[in-house]
Every structure is written in structure tokens, then in C-alpha cells.
Amino acid sequence: MHKFILFFISLFLSSQLLAETEDSEYFVFVGKKISLTPVTPKLKENKSSFDSKFLAKYQIIKPYKGSYHGAEIEFTVFDHYGVPQFSEYDHVLLYVVLHDGKYYHSKYQFTPVYKTKSGVWAGAYAAYDYTHSNNANTTIKPVKIDFYSPVEFDISGYEKEEVEVWFPQPYYNISGNRATAVYGNYLNELFFLKQQGVLKARGDFQQM
């Protein structure tokens, strides 16, 4: 009898371990680029889009939502504007979707993130996420963030009106051609803004 009990306990623990390590349909994580390789799209992919295609490999710095079995992840990226913008940042909060056994980047969805002096991750104030139609009346507000190192953006290519939209004061300090982040949000709020904004319109990442 005891052998049967031990057998079922072992079976239960194995099934629990398998469930915990199974790759989820939706996965959100803080990542760091290992490589980004251009790929020639298949003919059927070119028929519906003029997107560039890339194979990205990222180190998983911090899993945030969903589950994934490894420390590194590969995923396909389609981008209409060329090299994906998220690849320009050291660390980003990324959104990927599992389809036919492969992960794909949720198009254009990412947030650059930075370590704070308290050791957690946060992002600078993101005007687009706050002004998206689904977030117009959100209760989430930007908060002052004590970043470990100054988070600065080159605004030399922006018109004055554009700076006022994308780097508004007091969320940023403007000095010459630099905008330094003063306000932002932590991971839970960054995710919520995406989830209730453009991702909600797409019907993705809603049951997380």
C-alpha cells in the first residue's frame, strides 16, 4: 500500500514540476540582447507585408509573466521600419507569443527598463502608453523614480512640439539636447498599461 501511495505522490510531483516548467502561450520578461539576425522572409510572408524579419536571441534577466524553461530565448520579430527599436536598449520589457512551437514578438511592444537605486526595474514615463485610447482614464499615475544611473534621451532630432508630447515636463528635465527622466513606472504598472492599451485591442495577454 505504501508503495502505491509513494508512486502516486511521485506522479503528482512530476506533473506539478512539468506544469511549472511548461512554456506558456504568453511570456513577458526583462531581457538583454545576445544577438539579432536578419532573416529573409518566406514568400507567403512577403505577400501580406513589407516587414523585415529577424531572429532575436535574448538573455532572460527577469521572468515577469508566464513561464519559460530556459535562461535564454529565441523569437522571431517582424518590423515594418527595419531594425527593431527595442534592440537599441540594454534592457527591455518584452512580450512574446507562442505559435506552432515558436515564439514571436508582439509587434512593436516593449518598454526600455533600468535599474533603480533600490535594485528593482522601472521605465521612464511613456507618453504613448498613457495617451492610448484604452488608458485615457487610467488610475495609474507616473511616480518619481530614483534611477541608479541617469536615464537620458537625445532629443536633438525632435521639434519643440514633439518634445512637449513625448518628453513633457515635469516627467522629464530638459537641458539642451537631452531629456532626463524624472518620473516613470515600475514593472507591474508598465505591464498593466500595455495590457489595458494596445494589447487589449489585439486580444492578447489578457489572462495573466
Side-chain angles (χ1 to χ4, degrees), residues 75-194:
F75 54 95
T76 298
V77 185
F78 290 98
D79 197 299
H80 186 70
Y81 303 100
V83 178
Q85 189 180 5
F86 66 77
S87 66
E88 300 172 5
Y89 298 94
D90 289 338
H91 298 94
V92 285
L93 184 65
L94 287 167
Y95 300 76
V96 295
V97 182
L98 187 63
H99 179 69
D100 289 340
K102 296 181 180 180
Y103 275 106
Y104 292 81
H105 178 237
S106 183
K107 201 170 186 181
Y108 306 133
Q109 301 312 300
F110 72 95
T111 306
V113 291
Y114 311 87
K115 272 292 183 70
T116 66
K117 290 184 178 179
S118 62
V120 300
W121 294 98
Y125 171 77
Y128 174 82
D129 289 328
Y130 273 99
T131 56
H132 191 279
S133 58
N134 289 337
N135 286 329
N137 297 312
T138 183
T139 57
I140 292 179
K141 303 298 180 186
V143 296
K144 281 191 174 182
I145 303 289
D146 197 6
F147 291 107
Y148 184 80
S149 299
V151 176
E152 298 180 331
F153 300 91
D154 181 0
I155 57 175
S156 58
Y158 291 81
E159 299 292 338
K160 179 181 178 181
E161 294 77 11
E162 294 175 318
V163 172
E164 292 174 352
V165 171
W166 301 114
F167 303 97
Q169 300 184 62
Y171 306 130
Y172 290 86
N173 281 335
I174 307 299
S175 179
N177 291 327
R178 311 297 292 179
T180 303
V182 179
Y183 285 74
N185 293 97
Y186 297 100
L187 291 188
N188 61 323
E189 295 174 331
L190 295 175
F191 171 73
F192 183 82
L193 287 169
K194 290 288 189 188

Side-chain angles (χ1 to χ4, degrees), residues 15-94:
S15 65
Q16 289 295 104
L17 181 61
L18 181 62
E20 290 175 359
T21 57
E22 184 178 0
D23 296 342
S24 57
E25 179 182 6
Y26 297 110
F27 184 50
V28 186
F29 65 98
V30 175
K32 180 179 177 64
K33 183 176 67 175
I34 297 173
S35 62
L36 183 72
T37 307
V39 178
T40 301
K42 297 178 181 179
L43 182 60
K44 63 180 181 180
E45 293 171 336
N46 275 331
K47 285 182 179 180
S48 59
S49 172
F50 292 100
D51 290 342
S52 298
K53 181 180 180 180
F54 300 85
L55 180 63
K57 186 175 183 179
Y58 267 67
Q59 178 185 357
I60 297 172
I61 303 297
K62 178 181 176 59
Y64 180 67
K65 291 285 186 179
S67 58
Y68 181 75
H69 69 279
E72 299 175 354
I73 186 171
E74 286 190 341
F75 54 95
T76 298
V77 185
F78 290 98
D79 197 299
H80 186 70
Y81 303 100
V83 178
Q85 189 180 5
F86 66 77
S87 66
E88 300 172 5
Y89 298 94
D90 289 338
H91 298 94
V92 285
L93 184 65
L94 287 167

